Amino acid sequence: MRLKLVLTSSLLAAVVGTGSAIAIILSVFSSLKPITTPGLLVVSIYLLPMLATLLASIFVYRHTARRRKLQAILTAIIALLLTILFFVVASIVTARREPAQPQPGSPVNVSKS
């Protein structure tokens, strides 16, 4: 079994797929509110990691001589686990630590009106 090929292709697929999806999310959406409403753009963003995983599995399948199915499935599983890990790490890194407080304006005396 070509373990180096399986590991490098699954790592590359996870980095490319997740990196492109995270870059699109952070650059296109200024706030995370549009992501909560499902739309075509949101669904297509999450297809990028799946497509990268599929291409890596096909690559491993075509470049091995024995145990092709096992290595392709192993590549897909490792790439999907790494993709989930990268999404979790990106959400932790980009999370707001403190809630945004509104700026205080001039105080209004409510009792005199």
Side-chain angles (χ1 to χ4, degrees), residues 67-90:
R67 300 186 204 149
R68 289 182 171 201
K69 292 180 184 178
L70 174 67
Q71 292 180 22
I73 291 170
L74 188 62
T75 301
I77 290 171
I78 293 173
L80 289 175
L81 288 175
L82 286 173
T83 299
I84 292 170
L85 176 76
F86 289 155
F87 273 129
V88 169
V89 168

Side-chain angles (χ1 to χ4, degrees), residues 1 11 18 38 40 50 61 64 67-68 72 76 91 102:
M1 187 162 14
L11 179 67
T18 310
L40 186 61
M50 291 174 50
Y61 182 83
T64 54
R67 300 186 204 149
R68 289 182 171 201
S91 68

Side-chain angles (χ1 to χ4, degrees), residues 24-35 41-42 45:
I24 290 172
I25 289 170
L26 292 178
S27 64
V28 172
F29 302 112
S30 60
S31 68
L32 296 179
K33 184 163 177 59
I35 294 178
L41 181 63
V42 175
I45 287 173

Side-chain angles (χ1 to χ4, degrees), residues 25-63:
I25 289 170
L26 292 178
S27 64
V28 172
F29 302 112
S30 60
S31 68
L32 296 179
K33 184 163 177 59
I35 294 178
T36 58
T37 58
L40 186 61
L41 181 63
V42 175
V43 173
S44 64
I45 287 173
Y46 293 114
L47 287 177
L48 292 172
M50 291 174 50
L51 180 66
T53 302
L54 178 70
L55 290 176
S57 296
I58 291 172
F59 178 80
V60 168
Y61 182 83
R62 298 290 295 165
H63 286 84

